[in-house]
Amino acid sequence: MSMDWDKLKVFHAAAEAGSFTHAGEQLGLSQSAVSRQVSALEQELGVSLFHRHARGLILTEQGEVLHHTAHDVFMKLEAARAKLGEFVELYPDIHLSLLTTDEELDLAMRAADVAIRLRQPTQPDLIQRKLFSVRFHAYASPEYIKRFGTPRELDDLDRHRVLLLGGSTVPNYLENRRWLIEVARNGKGPRTPALTINNVLGVLRACQRGIGVALLPDYLVEENGGLVQLFGESDTIALDAYFVYPEELKSVARVQVFRDFLVAKAQRWHF
């Protein structure tokens, strides 16, 4: 199920403010409009997100999980805006529009000028420049390891709870997401995941809470901490990120300077 971005933004504001009234003041909405948006989100998810009291709002357990995930998303967007802010300062005449989606936009049809993709493009009319590699490892929380032990060999995963990034909204090119349920099965079918979540931040939170073993990008774990890497470096998985754009735009100045800016920054990024 895809989640309405506007409803998530309203929920996050209400969770931060502790009341629909204060959230409405921050968002420029009425108290009733905020309440309706949150109620609609609760109906879509099938869970209660707040305990409503005369003195304000208290998050339910499910609300706490969603709030942590939503907060991480908004913080990462702010961090991205801050990095792009440097580009805007350097080139104030160029106007940026950032589209954050897992869908591969059709650059040939000008759905966007450029894109960053976690796989090498196959279209012959797209110019590509590798930026960096995103490395993945299996992780578990100290609480999970204390309770269930440490999987030492890959086939030990048969006796552990595995968390899976999955669902209809997860792009097909993230094939490595199934590694934990398919590795070392020796011809047998995939393991049954203990929990499937369609958002990598949700998988991270579930792993941090000790629910199971998860395959996660190293940079995400380094930023959040608290997890133990499993199986060592020999089982590293990586996805290469590419900056791509149509050949017809190769001489366009705004594309050239944005490409050079990203490439220069990528040389100092570690994933």
Side-chain angles (χ1 to χ4, degrees), residues 8 17 19 21 41 45 132 142 187-188 234 253:
L8 187 61
S19 78
T21 300
L41 180 60
L45 297 175
F132 48 78
K188 295 180 287 185
S234 60

Side-chain angles (χ1 to χ4, degrees), residues 106-253:
D106 191 340
L107 300 185
M109 296 300 293
R110 300 303 300 274
D113 288 333
V114 302
I116 297 176
R117 293 181 177 170
L118 287 175
R119 69 167 175 175
Q120 188 168 13
T122 57
Q123 299 94 320
D125 57 342
L126 291 181
I127 297 175
Q128 55 189 271
R129 179 69 180 269
K130 181 180 174 180
L131 294 176
F132 48 78
S133 294
V134 180
R135 291 176 176 80
F136 293 72
H137 284 91
Y139 289 94
S141 72
E143 293 77 13
Y144 178 88
I145 291 173
K146 182 178 180 180
R147 185 178 177 188
F148 297 101
T150 302
R152 303 291 182 183
E153 304 294 335
L154 292 175
D155 57 6
D156 289 344
L157 290 169
D158 292 348
R159 297 176 291 279
H160 283 267
R161 298 177 178 179
V162 175
L163 307 178
L164 177 67
L165 174 66
S168 60
T169 60
V170 177
N172 292 330
Y173 62 81
L174 290 177
E175 289 297 329
N176 70 316
R177 65 187 174 85
R178 295 181 57 83
W179 183 75
L180 284 180
I181 65 172
E182 294 178 344
V183 69
R185 290 294 286 165
N186 300 318
K188 295 180 287 185
R191 301 176 181 89
T192 301
L195 180 63
T196 300
I197 305 174
N198 67 349
N199 178 284
V200 67
L201 290 175
V203 175
L204 171 69
R205 289 304 182 201
C207 188
Q208 289 176 323
R209 289 172 177 265
I211 296 176
V213 178
L215 185 70
L216 294 165
D218 292 349
Y219 76 89
L220 194 60
V221 175
E222 290 170 3
E223 290 177 0
N224 292 271
L227 295 178
V228 178
Q229 181 181 314
L230 306 174
F231 304 125
E233 292 299 321
S234 60
D235 294 300
T236 298
I237 296 173
L239 289 179
D240 293 331
Y242 293 86
F243 179 74
V244 299
Y245 54 96
E247 188 172 357
E248 64 194 65
L249 296 182
K250 66 180 180 180
S251 299
V252 176

Side-chain angles (χ1 to χ4, degrees), residues 3-20 23 26-27 34 37-38 41 49-50 57 59 63-75 78:
M3 191 177 298
D4 188 295
W5 185 256
D6 290 332
K7 293 189 184 74
L8 187 61
K9 183 177 180 181
V10 171
F11 160 76
H12 182 258
E16 292 285 300
S19 78
F20 293 149
Q26 295 173 9
L27 298 171
V34 173
Q37 289 277 64
V38 172
L41 180 60
L49 299 173
F50 292 108
L57 303 170
L59 287 164
E64 287 278 4
V65 173
L66 182 59
H67 177 236
H68 283 306
T69 301
H71 188 73
D72 280 349
V73 170
F74 286 120
M75 290 302 100
E78 287 301 319

